[in-house]
Amino acid sequence: LKQALFLQHGSSRVAMNICKADHRKLWDAVVASNCNLYAEVNSELQADIREESGRSSHGGGGGNDSGNEGGGDTSKGGELQNSLLSIPVRVLVDGKPSVQRLCPPFLQQESGNDDKHDREASSSSSVPTTLGDALLKFVPNLFERRSDASDGNDDQTDEYADDKDRHDGNRIVPTEKLTWTIQGLSDLPLSFPIGQIWRSLSYPDHFLYISLVTR
């Protein structure tokens, strides 16, 4: 939990400020599977995500692995980027030890226009990181970004033909037959924002665990 809080906030301050009474509440909530008790404490710990912030075109993190991933912008939409610097994610492939990397809540919007002015104008534009973006970064040997113009007729990717992300009509697809599962839910859309998935399906330790099984 402390590691996940550090990833979210970029500081140990939140974890170190948990009082003894809240520590006890968290423990009792987990032992008793008491969601309401857990929520009392968790609401003060988990970084806030708001839909309207996710639509902002300002700020946002790049795709780098710096400690300030996800931004630090105080412009419109910056509240989300300040509160959530990195999404705690662990990926497990075929039961092997988990893969953990920094997962920014936002990525720079890619532009297919080569005009210098247009590239500069869109340089500050950011979009929510998707599940596909995260999996491509965590296990690049199992996922790839494919253009609609490329040959997509092989059987292993046809089932994801409608799962487009927002990168100029491109889509992220598996490179082989596999299944990804989160909290018992299999093959969630790769185009879905991973921040929303994390908010709803993370474990009590605040990590989002994604299990991949190759076929």
Side-chain angles (χ1 to χ4, degrees):
L1 176 60
K2 290 182 178 180
Q3 183 181 5
L5 290 175
F6 184 88
L7 290 173
Q8 291 174 64
H9 302 283
S11 167
S12 60
R13 177 181 56 82
V14 175
M16 298 302 293
N17 285 344
I18 303 176
C19 65
K20 184 176 180 179
D22 285 343
H23 269 289
R24 185 66 186 180
K25 278 186 179 181
L26 283 173
W27 176 255
D28 290 343
V30 172
V31 171
S33 297
N34 188 328
C35 294
N36 292 331
L37 181 60
Y38 177 81
E40 288 182 17
V41 182
N42 190 58
S43 61
E44 301 297 326
L45 301 179
Q46 192 171 32
D48 188 27
I49 296 181
R50 296 177 181 172
E51 185 178 358
E52 60 268 28
S53 294
R55 291 197 298 265
S56 169
S57 61
H58 299 281
N64 59 61
D65 285 341
S66 65
N68 194 34
E69 211 165 352
D73 182 29
T74 56
S75 60
K76 183 179 178 182
E79 179 180 354
L80 171 58
Q81 294 159 1
N82 278 329
S83 63
L84 182 59
L85 298 182
S86 182
I87 302 171
V89 178
R90 287 173 175 163
V91 176
L92 302 93
V93 181
D94 292 334
K96 297 176 182 178
S98 63
V99 178
Q100 183 176 323
R101 306 186 192 281
L102 291 178
C103 183
F106 290 93
L107 293 176
Q108 291 296 328
Q109 174 70 66
E110 297 177 1
S111 174
N113 196 321
D114 291 333
D115 182 80
K116 181 178 178 182
H117 175 75
D118 289 341
R119 288 201 308 270
E120 291 177 349
S122 64
S123 61
S124 63
S125 177
S126 60
V127 290
T129 301
T130 66
L131 175 60
D133 290 324
L135 290 175
L136 181 63
K137 180 178 182 179
F138 277 60
V139 282
N141 59 311
L142 295 178
F143 290 86
E144 65 180 2
R145 190 179 300 283
R146 177 168 298 180
S147 170
D148 288 343
S150 65
D151 183 10
N153 293 326
D154 52 286
D155 294 336
Q156 67 185 27
T157 56
D158 278 352
E159 56 189 299
Y160 308 106
D162 294 329
D163 196 14
K164 297 178 182 178
D165 63 19
R166 71 280 184 240
H167 294 291
D168 299 325
N170 291 350
R171 54 194 170 92
I172 295 175
V173 297
T175 58
E176 61 181 81
K177 287 286 186 178
L178 57 83
T179 298
W180 53 94
T181 304
I182 304 174
Q183 290 275 32
L185 301 176
S186 297
D187 297 342
L188 290 174
L190 294 175
S191 58
F192 204 79
I194 195 169
Q196 295 184 31
I197 298 175
W198 168 75
R199 184 69 175 175
S200 302
L201 300 177
S202 60
Y203 277 72
D205 65 357
H206 283 209
F207 273 94
L208 179 70
Y209 291 89
I210 307 174
S211 177
L212 278 71
V213 177
T214 57
R215 304 174 188 172

